Amino acid sequence: INLCITNETYMIKILHIAPINAANLPYIYMETERQLGFDSRLVTQIPSSFSYPEDITLNLPFIKDSVSNLYRSYAGKKITNVRNKTGDIPPVWKPANWFQKMIVDLRDLVWRKIVRKKSVLDLLDKADIVVLDGGAGFLRSGKYVLEWADRNKKLVSFYYGSDLRTRGVIKEIDDLSQLVFVSEFDHIYLHPRAIHVPFPFQSGKFSNYIGNNAKYNKIRIGHSPTSRGAKGSDIILDILRKIEKEHGTETILIENLPLNKAIELKSTCHLFVDQLGELGYGISGLEALAMGIPTLVTLKPDYEKFLGDHPFINIDENNMEQKIVELLNNKKRMEEIASFGLEWVRTQHAPERSLAIVHGEYRKKGWL
């Protein structure tokens, strides 16, 4: 990646706007861009509950409280572990009913005052490129971001998680987005302009955890659901407890813990089950690989073909028990998988590699 200083006095300004610093991904992009010579900033609506670092956070109300819960109860869609196979491509967000529309409009009125007071509109006005995590700006209406995009054109939408499946695009923003990036494989089927980019992941930060499982005699098998319905957790836990009874393993459930405690506990595992279903691996699986822990996850045939050679043990609910037992009886195979996983996550998910894809598209458009 070439440094993007266009002359001696001006650095290209990139503004990332995100609801939250989810899994630290927006911050990693900002941090990597800064290392490469960009003036990159990140504005989030609320701080991360996992204590990830922040640049600027607006601390907007009505996102994680009783009002937001009431709003979601009228939203309709829930996070699951299956692909979205029906409806418009891309799916388009519309208020589910008059009540949801009223809540969104009232919330935007409150948020608008806060956004103006926080001086982030000055950052927006001076930005050369604006990147919207989840395809949303400061407000659900898109005000400010749409006005900027109408003048400057260099608007990007980036989908890391479930927003595209469960909410869909905000049509006015999607219409003005010149590029659409996705990091979830199934998203390539949900947006006709989607460009896939691997999750940026700083695997080196987990190197100190490698070998933490050596002091345990029992084989510890971990699972870490953020949403049980999105991970197939009930089935996973039933199978792990069966294996525990029959083979003397120990099931390690990592749930509702601060990030540092969750990582510490995960590092004591010898095997890790990421998720069942149709969506493939996530950041939690990458963390396990980066700590030298063989990781099991469901990979649909199209996703496995897309990945090529990879270190994951591909499972479903019918063969998960068998594949775990095979590994329990083959410690050398576990060591080989662990070694391959360490190298694979280091190279395939390096932030520089992900950013090279994104900035390559910027260059094609003459933005850099």
Side-chain angles (χ1 to χ4, degrees), residues 230-346:
K231 297 274 189 175
S233 298
D234 291 341
I235 295 172
I236 289 171
L237 292 172
D238 283 346
I239 295 172
L240 291 184
R241 286 167 184 147
K242 182 175 184 290
I243 295 171
E244 187 174 61
K245 289 179 181 178
E246 296 179 0
H247 298 274
T249 58
E250 187 174 356
T251 299
I252 306 299
L253 177 61
I254 308 161
E255 188 174 29
N256 299 323
L257 293 175
L259 179 65
N260 61 333
K261 292 186 180 297
I263 294 298
E264 185 69 36
L265 186 55
K266 186 184 292 185
S267 74
T268 69
C269 297
H270 302 86
L271 292 172
F272 183 76
V273 182
D274 190 349
Q275 54 188 311
L276 296 174
E278 301 179 355
L279 305 182
Y281 66 93
I283 297 296
S284 189
L286 297 181
E287 290 171 351
L289 291 181
M291 292 187 282
I293 303 169
T295 300
L296 300 93
V297 67
T298 302
L299 296 172
K300 302 296 285 184
D302 56 349
Y303 195 3
E304 191 159 38
K305 181 179 179 181
F306 177 82
L307 285 177
D309 197 16
H310 65 81
F312 295 104
I313 300 104
N314 194 354
I315 57 169
D316 57 39
E317 62 182 284
N318 298 313
N319 65 18
M320 176 180 155
E321 179 181 355
Q322 173 196 336
K323 292 202 173 186
I324 288 177
V325 172
E326 288 174 356
L327 288 172
L328 296 179
N329 294 324
N330 192 340
K331 301 296 173 57
K332 183 178 179 181
R333 177 61 179 152
M334 286 177 60
E335 292 172 0
E336 291 171 348
I337 294 171
S339 178
F340 178 31
L342 284 169
E343 178 62 18
W344 186 86
V345 72
R346 184 186 69 80

